[in-house]
């Protein structure tokens, strides 16, 4: 499992995501980014998410 904390990229956001792999996390983050941060996912955001992915056991 992979985990991502939005607050690592967007200070003040406490949303956390759990996914089976990178693609799963990115799909969830893309929806959250659009709905809650009103931004579209671009290459920079994908890299920011990947840089902050954690392995979750
Ligand atoms: Zn967020």
């Amino acid at each position: 499992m992979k985990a991502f904390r939005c607050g690592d990229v967007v200070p003040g956001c406490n949303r956390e995501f759990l996914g089976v792999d990178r693609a799963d996390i990115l799909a969830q983050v893309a929806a959250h980014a659009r709905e809650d941060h009103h931004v579209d996912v671009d290459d920079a955001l994908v890299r920011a998410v990947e840089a902050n992915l954690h392995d979750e056991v």
Side-chain angles (χ1 to χ4, degrees):
M1 296 288 282
K2 297 286 187 185
F4 171 71
R5 281 188 292 271
C6 191
D8 288 343
V9 175
V10 182
C13 184
N14 56 14
R15 184 74 180 271
E16 296 187 23
F17 302 91
L18 268 181
V20 292
D21 58 17
R22 165 189 173 281
D24 188 17
I25 295 274
L26 282 172
Q28 297 178 56
V29 172
H32 166 66
R34 274 195 304 269
E35 290 167 13
D36 295 324
H37 297 302
H38 307 290
V39 296
D40 277 318
V41 174
D42 58 12
D43 287 350
L45 182 55
V46 170
R47 279 194 295 271
V49 171
E50 289 177 337
N52 289 284
L53 281 181
H54 307 280
D55 285 316
E56 194 79 14
V57 287

